[in-house]
C-alpha cells in the first residue's frame, strides 16, 4: 500500500470549506448536497442551489435563475417502476411583460415544464415574475451526458422567447458521488459519472479507494490527510468533520483498512 507510505511523508492543516451555492466557475470536489434522505429502497439527494449560465436565443434574456437537483437513487435490485423520478428544479425570473415558459428542450427532446409552485411577482421599479418549474433528469442521464456542460432550453408558447441554460456536468456528478458515499455498493456503479474505476472489485479494496480519492484531492487535503493518517495508523479514531468530500472519503476508506494494511508497503 504505497499510497499510505507516500501520504505519511506529507504535512499540512485540515481544510474546512463550505459553499451555500454554486455557479459555473465553482469547484465541485466539495460537498454539493443540501440534504440526504435514506429510505429502505432509495436515497434522495437534494443539492445546494446553482446559478446557471443563461443565453437568450430568441427574444429577451431573463432577469435571473437558480436551480437545484432532487435525485432519487434506488438501492434495491427489485422493480424500480415505483421510484419517483429525479428532477431538476429551476426558479426563473423575467420581466412581467414576457410570456411564461411552458416547455424545455433537453437531449433532443421537448417536454412540458411542471409548475411546482404558484408563480410569484415582485414590483419595485419594474415588475418581475418568477416561475418555479421542474423537469425529469435522471442520474443515468447525468452520468452519461457526453459534454462538460448540461444544456437545456426553456421556451414560451409559440417560441417567442427561448433561453438556453447551462450547468456543469460536474455538479450532477458530485450529487451522484454523494449518493454513492451514503449507500456504497448498493447503488449501481454505472450511475456514478467518472467512477468507472470503482467497480465491484475495487470497491472491496479500501487501499484502492484511498488512492482514488487521493488522486482527486488538492494538495491541502492530501497534507491534512497525511497528518491525520500518521497519527491514527494504530487507532480507530474518526476523521474530524469536514466539508471536503475528498478528505472525508480518504478518512472513511482509511478506517475500513486493516491496521496491517495501513502500514504495508
Amino acid at each position: 500500500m504505497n499510497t499510505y507510505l507516500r501520504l505519511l511523508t506529507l504535512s499540512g492543516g485540515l481544510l474546512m470549506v463550505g459553499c451555500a451555492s454554486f455557479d459555473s466557475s465553482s469547484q465541485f470536489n466539495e460537498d454539493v448536497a443540501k440534504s440526504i434522505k435514506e429510505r429502505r429502497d432509495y436515497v434522495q439527494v437534494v443539492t445546494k442551489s446553482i446559478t446557471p449560465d443563461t443565453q437568450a436565443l430568441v427574444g429577451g434574456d431573463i432577469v435571473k435563475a437558480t436551480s437545484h437537483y432532487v435525485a432519487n437513487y434506488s438501492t434495491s435490485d427489485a422493480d424500480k417502476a415505483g421510484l419517483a423520478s429525479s428532477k431538476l428544479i429551476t426558479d426563473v425570473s423575467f420581466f412581467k411583460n414576457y410570456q411564461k415558459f411552458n416547455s424545455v428542450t433537453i437531449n433532443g427532446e421537448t417536454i412540458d415544464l411542471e409548475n411546482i409552485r404558484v408563480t410569484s411577482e415582485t414590483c419595485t421599479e419594474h415588475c418581475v415574475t418568477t416561475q418555479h418549474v421542474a423537469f425529469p433528469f435522471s442520474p443515468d442521464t447525468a452520468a452519461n451526458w457526453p459534454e462538460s456542460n448540461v444544456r437545456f432550453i426553456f421556451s414560451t408558447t409559440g417560441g417567442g422567447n427561448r433561453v438556453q441554460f447551462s450547468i456543469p456536468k460536474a455538479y450532477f456528478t458530485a450529487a451522484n458521488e454523494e449518493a454513492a458515499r451514503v449507500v456504497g455498493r448498493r447503488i449501481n456503479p454505472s450511475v456514478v459519472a467518472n467512477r468507472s474505476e470503482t467497480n465491484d472489485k475495487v470497491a472491496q479494496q479500501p487501499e484502492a479507494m484511498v488512492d482514488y480519492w487521493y488522486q482527486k484531492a488538492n494538495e491541502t487535503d492530501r497534507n491534512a490527510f497525511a497528518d491525520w493518517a500518521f497519527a491514527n495508523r494504530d487507532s480507530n479514531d474518526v476523521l474530524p468533520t469536514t466539508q471536503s468530500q475528498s478528505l472525508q472519503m480518504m478518512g472513511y476508506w482509511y478506517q475500513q483498512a486493516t491496521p496491517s494494511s495501513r502500514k504495508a508497503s
Side-chain angles (χ1 to χ4, degrees):
M1 223 162 76
N2 294 330
T3 296
Y4 292 147
L5 296 181
R6 293 197 306 270
L7 290 173
L8 298 181
T9 65
L10 302 174
S11 63
L14 184 64
L15 177 64
M16 298 291 184
V17 293
C19 187
S21 61
F22 300 92
D23 58 29
S24 61
S25 65
S26 298
Q27 297 297 313
F28 298 100
N29 58 352
E30 55 197 282
D31 184 5
V32 303
K34 180 179 180 181
S35 68
I36 299 175
K37 296 180 181 178
E38 190 169 5
R39 297 292 185 262
R40 184 170 64 89
D41 293 326
Y42 74 97
V43 166
Q44 182 182 82
V45 176
V46 178
T47 62
K48 298 172 186 175
S49 64
I50 186 168
T51 301
D53 289 340
T54 64
Q55 178 185 0
L57 303 180
V58 178
D61 206 348
I62 61 172
V63 175
K64 65 177 181 178
T66 58
S67 298
H68 69 275
Y69 190 37
V70 178
N72 296 315
Y73 301 82
S74 174
T75 58
S76 171
D77 292 330
D79 186 4
K80 299 180 178 60
L83 185 69
S85 63
S86 300
K87 296 180 179 181
L88 182 61
I89 298 173
T90 300
D91 296 340
V92 54
S93 300
F94 44 87
F95 292 120
K96 183 179 179 179
N97 59 326
Y98 290 10
Q99 285 184 293
K100 295 178 183 177
F101 295 104
N102 71 333
S103 66
V104 58
T105 301
I106 183 168
N107 208 20
E109 180 182 6
T110 299
I111 57 177
D112 291 338
L113 286 168
E114 175 189 357
N115 288 286
I116 60 171
R117 285 169 51 195
V118 175
T119 300
S120 57
E121 182 179 304
T122 58
C123 292
T124 52
E125 183 179 352
H126 301 283
C127 288
V128 173
T129 299
T130 299
Q131 257 186 291
H132 311 276
V133 296
F135 61 88
F137 190 67
S138 73
D140 287 309
T141 300
N144 295 309
W145 196 264
E147 300 175 338
S148 60
N149 290 288
V150 175
R151 293 185 173 88
F152 51 95
I153 298 170
F154 282 4
S155 299
T156 59
T157 301
N161 280 90
R162 299 178 71 239
V163 177
Q164 178 178 269
F165 298 74
S166 177
I167 297 175
K169 176 183 175 179
Y171 175 74
F172 301 99
T173 299
N176 287 350
E177 291 181 339
E178 284 291 332
R181 177 181 64 80
V182 173
V183 297
R185 285 176 291 147
R186 285 189 292 163
I187 286 183
N188 186 333
S190 68
V191 308
V192 183
N194 299 330
R195 289 287 297 279
S196 59
E197 301 94 335
T198 57
N199 55 31
D200 286 341
K201 180 177 179 180
V202 173
Q204 297 172 11
Q205 301 175 2
E207 300 93 336
M209 293 304 295
V210 170
D211 186 68
Y212 170 80
W213 285 104
Y214 178 78
Q215 299 302 324
K216 290 174 69 70
N218 59 37
E219 190 67 22
T220 302
D221 283 0
R222 291 179 182 181
N223 292 340
F225 175 70
D227 286 348
W228 174 83
F230 181 79
N232 292 277
R233 62 194 184 281
D234 295 318
S235 72
N236 291 316
D237 289 349
V238 177
L239 182 75
T241 301
T242 171
Q243 292 189 19
S244 167
Q245 185 183 37
S246 296
L247 186 55
Q248 183 179 25
M249 293 304 294
M250 284 189 288
Y252 170 80
W253 286 109
Y254 186 79
Q255 288 302 102
Q256 306 311 303
T258 63
S260 59
S261 67
R262 296 175 194 172
K263 300 175 183 178
S265 60

